[in-house]
Amino acid sequence: MEKQEPFWKFQLVPDIFVDYNEIANRIPGLKVGTQPNLGIVDQIYGDTDAFTEWLEQDKTPWERLTSYVRRLNVRSPKNVSYKILYLTRHGHGVHNEYRDKVGKGNWDDYWARLDGDGTTYWVDAQLTDTGIQQARELGKFWTTVALEQKIPLPETIYTSPLQRCLHTTKIMFSTALKDSGRRIAPMVKEGLRERLTGHTCDKRSTLTQINQLYPRYLVEDGFPEEDRLWSPFTFETTEQHVARKQQVLEDIFSRDPNEVIALTIHAYAIGAIVRACGGEEGFIVREGSTIALLVRGERPPLGRYEAMYY
C-alpha cells in the first residue's frame, strides 16, 4: 500500500476513560475486557460555569460526557472535531480456537496458512459458539447497562468486512437499535480489516457473499467484489497497518458528522487505531469486548481558495 502523509492529526483525550495499559499490566496476557460503565471516569468537566455544573451534578457520567463532547464541538474551530469511539473486538473465532488447540507457534508456522485441517475451516473465520455468546453478552450490555447509565447508542456503526466482525455487529446491536426505533445499517469498510499477513483467517469473502448474508448492511463506495488486499505472500508491517487505520480515521472524521461512533474490528486493528491517535499499544482487547476512547481530530485549516469549494 502506497504511503500517504497524514492529513489529519488524531489525539486521545486523556483522563476521560480508565488507563487500559495500567489495567493490562495487572492481567495475565495483557488482555483487557469490557470495563464497568465502559471505563468512564466519573467527573465534572472543567469547562462548565457554576450553573451548568450545578445542573450536571445529578446526571450520569455518560450524560456529562456527551454534553461535554457537544460543547467541545460547538466551541472548536471548524477544522477540529471530537468523537467518542467504541472499539469492539469480534467474538472468539474458529481461528482463535484452533490456535489455542495447536499452540501459537504451530499455528503461526504452519496451520494459519492453510484453509483448514479437513474438518475445521478458518478461511474468513466464523464465530465459535463461545464467540456468539460473547456477542450476546455485549448485546445484553447495550439493552440493560447502557440504558440505565444513559450510555449513548452509536450514531454510526462501522465494521470490518470479515465474517466474525459482521456477525458480532449484528448480534451486539440489533436488539438495542430495534428497541430505540432504529434498524441496523452498519457501514462495511475494507480498511478496518485486521493486519494483513498470509493467515487465511484474514482473507475475506466476496462482496456478493457479504450482501447475501447481511443485506441490510451498507458497503462503502469502491468496495471490490474480490479480496484485493490479502495474499499468502503479504505481510503488513506495524507502520503500514497504522497508516491504513489513519486513512480510515481520516475518512470517518471527514465524512461523518456524528459524535458517537462504533467500530467492530480486530485485536491488532484496535492497537493500530490507538497508535494512530498517539497512544501506547500496550494492551490487547479480549475477544468479544469493547473499550471506549475520546478522540480529537484536527486537519489543517483550509486556505481561502480551498474554502470556496467546501
Side-chain angles (χ1 to χ4, degrees), residues 173-297:
F173 286 122
S174 289
T175 299
L177 291 176
K178 182 180 178 182
D179 290 348
S180 69
R182 295 165 54 191
R183 72 180 184 89
I184 188 166
M187 172 66 73
V188 181
K189 293 188 73 65
E190 189 83 294
L192 287 177
R193 291 168 62 169
E194 183 58 299
R195 180 180 175 184
L196 297 168
T197 66
H199 293 190
T200 60
C201 58
D202 296 327
K203 180 181 180 181
R204 75 159 169 84
S205 303
T206 65
L207 174 58
T208 297
Q209 291 169 324
I210 292 171
N211 283 333
Q212 288 173 343
L213 291 170
Y214 301 94
R216 292 187 177 181
Y217 284 28
L218 307 173
V219 179
E220 66 180 345
D221 292 341
F223 192 93
E225 171 67 18
E226 302 290 340
D227 187 348
R228 297 177 183 172
L229 294 182
W230 185 88
S231 157
F233 310 108
T234 297
F235 191 91
E236 196 173 35
T237 67
T238 299
E239 290 70 24
Q240 288 170 332
H241 187 199
V242 172
R244 179 157 58 89
K245 291 302 182 286
Q246 169 79 23
Q247 290 178 31
V248 174
L249 289 174
E250 290 191 5
D251 184 66
I252 291 173
F253 271 71
S254 297
R255 297 171 181 267
D256 193 333
N258 289 322
E259 294 176 336
V260 185
I261 308 291
L263 298 92
T264 309
I265 46 178
H266 310 264
Y268 288 109
I270 291 175
I273 286 177
V274 170
R275 286 192 57 177
C277 297
E280 296 181 19
E281 189 184 358
F283 64 94
I284 300 171
V285 174
R286 186 178 295 121
E287 296 96 336
S289 300
T290 300
I291 66 168
L293 308 171
L294 178 58
V295 176
R296 180 187 188 274

Side-chain angles (χ1 to χ4, degrees), residues 24-232:
N25 287 332
R26 303 195 300 264
I27 301 172
L30 303 178
K31 285 191 175 183
V32 174
T34 306
Q35 298 300 299
N37 218 1
L38 286 185
I40 192 171
V41 176
D42 190 355
Q43 60 185 297
I44 300 290
Y45 298 95
D47 70 328
T48 58
D49 55 37
F51 180 70
T52 304
E53 182 174 331
W54 176 76
L55 288 176
E56 294 205 337
Q57 285 180 347
D58 293 330
K59 292 183 177 180
T60 69
W62 274 96
E63 286 179 305
R64 292 191 212 112
L65 176 59
T66 51
S67 294
Y68 177 55
V69 172
R70 197 173 303 118
R71 292 195 301 273
L72 286 173
N73 282 322
V74 168
R75 297 171 182 175
S76 295
K78 289 185 178 181
N79 62 312
V80 174
S81 179
Y82 292 82
K83 295 185 187 297
I84 298 169
L85 301 185
Y86 303 137
L87 305 183
T88 299
R89 182 181 176 187
H90 60 77
H92 194 259
V94 172
H95 61 309
N96 301 127
E97 185 172 70
Y98 207 85
R99 182 187 58 196
D100 293 342
K101 175 183 174 181
V102 301
K104 186 178 185 305
N106 288 331
W107 170 258
D108 289 338
D109 294 341
Y110 180 72
W111 290 107
R113 302 185 181 279
L114 304 180
D115 291 353
D117 66 356
T119 302
T120 303
Y121 295 89
W122 47 78
V123 176
D124 196 357
Q126 305 284 335
L127 294 179
T128 62
D129 290 342
T130 297
I132 290 172
Q133 183 57 38
Q134 289 170 337
R136 286 174 177 162
E137 289 299 318
L138 286 175
K140 185 177 179 181
F141 171 87
W142 286 107
T143 57
T144 55
V145 176
L147 201 61
E148 294 165 0
Q149 294 298 321
K150 306 292 181 63
I151 303 175
L153 278 168
E155 298 165 286
T156 313
I157 301 170
Y158 296 96
T159 177
S160 158
L162 297 181
Q163 292 293 330
R164 53 197 183 269
C165 290
L166 300 171
H167 197 182
T168 297
T169 299
K170 182 178 180 180
I171 297 171
M172 176 170 52
F173 286 122
S174 289
T175 299
L177 291 176
K178 182 180 178 182
D179 290 348
S180 69
R182 295 165 54 191
R183 72 180 184 89
I184 188 166
M187 172 66 73
V188 181
K189 293 188 73 65
E190 189 83 294
L192 287 177
R193 291 168 62 169
E194 183 58 299
R195 180 180 175 184
L196 297 168
T197 66
H199 293 190
T200 60
C201 58
D202 296 327
K203 180 181 180 181
R204 75 159 169 84
S205 303
T206 65
L207 174 58
T208 297
Q209 291 169 324
I210 292 171
N211 283 333
Q212 288 173 343
L213 291 170
Y214 301 94
R216 292 187 177 181
Y217 284 28
L218 307 173
V219 179
E220 66 180 345
D221 292 341
F223 192 93
E225 171 67 18
E226 302 290 340
D227 187 348
R228 297 177 183 172
L229 294 182
W230 185 88
S231 157

